[in-house]
Amino acid sequence: VMVSSGSTGKHYAQIRNGAAFDVFLAADSARPERLEAEGIGIANSRFTYAVGRLVLWVPGQHELGPPDQYLQNADFRRLAIANPRLAPYGLAAEQALRAWQLWQHLQPKLVRGENIAQAFQFVATGNAPAGLVALSSLLAGVRPVEGSYRMIPSELHQPIDQQALLLRRGEAAEAFLRYLRGGDAAALIRSAGYEVPAA
């Protein structure tokens, strides 16, 4: 499998402009749905392969209380999030902050990454002392991340349903998507910090 990583929004635009991908693994459901509706990709091949989880990560903190209290106190210079217009995790971060009535309050402190990986890097490199990042980013490293993190309640934002879409028929691509629906893949997906849909 040859992987091309990037923001869901950018890959969506590339696919619409003819990029030669066989499978689209998006970090949302809206863009695969749009591609399918536009006749780009194979009809009825779209499915949710993972559900993302958003966390507040603060590397310097050993004890971290409720995330809304930490964010409300705003005793930090910058808060990294993914760009809500490009990245589903960024949209989830905005929705959670709005639910806590902190979106306007935190505007001067927000640093927006192009995607969730860049938001994570802002925190990992110390350019932002805190961030709303993907749980999967925290679990992806060889060694444990420093500091503390707290899960953002999933009821505060739309589900981060991550969908797959077959873009062109082919034995290898179809076999890969069959594998992605199976139990072995589900165990790997869970261990990587995602939830797996029940059906």
Side-chain angles (χ1 to χ4, degrees):
V1 177
M2 294 178 64
V3 178
S4 175
S5 298
S7 75
T8 294
K10 283 202 163 184
H11 276 132
Y12 168 76
Q14 291 169 354
I15 291 164
R16 289 197 73 224
N17 286 301
F21 296 123
D22 298 301
V23 170
F24 182 33
L25 297 182
D28 70 2
S29 58
R31 289 172 182 98
E33 189 175 342
R34 273 187 235 156
L35 289 172
E36 187 181 39
E38 293 165 359
I40 302 170
I42 306 302
N44 302 316
S45 67
R46 181 172 51 87
F47 66 95
T48 299
Y49 65 92
V51 180
R53 291 305 313 267
L54 187 68
V55 299
L56 171 66
W57 177 37
V58 185
Q61 291 281 114
H62 297 296
E63 294 294 331
L64 189 60
D68 57 327
Q69 289 181 16
Y70 177 87
L71 293 169
Q72 193 162 17
N73 293 335
D75 190 22
F76 49 86
R77 296 182 326 280
R78 295 184 187 90
L79 176 69
I81 67 168
N83 187 331
R85 289 179 303 196
L86 293 175
Y89 284 91
L91 179 59
E94 178 181 342
Q95 290 170 342
L97 292 173
R98 285 187 186 279
W100 283 326
Q101 299 182 339
L102 294 172
W103 178 246
Q104 293 302 326
H105 175 65
L106 291 173
Q107 284 303 305
K109 296 176 183 285
L110 292 182
V111 181
R112 294 167 177 83
E114 183 176 286
N115 53 43
I116 196 61
Q118 190 174 53
F120 175 83
Q121 281 304 115
F122 286 157
V123 185
T125 57
N127 289 307
L132 291 168
V133 302
L135 175 61
S136 58
S137 297
L138 294 179
L139 301 180
V142 177
R143 51 197 175 108
V145 296
E146 296 179 0
S148 298
Y149 69 88
R150 289 290 177 267
M151 304 287 278
I152 303 302
S154 55
E155 62 269 18
L156 294 181
H157 58 79
Q158 294 172 359
I160 308 172
D161 287 342
Q162 304 194 186
Q163 291 198 337
L165 177 67
L166 181 65
L167 297 173
R168 50 180 96 195
R169 292 202 178 278
E171 186 177 341
E174 292 176 54
F176 176 71
L177 289 182
R178 280 195 301 274
Y179 168 77
L180 203 57
R181 287 178 179 267
D184 289 345
L188 289 172
I189 290 167
R190 284 192 194 95
S191 69
Y194 300 92
E195 294 175 0
V196 177

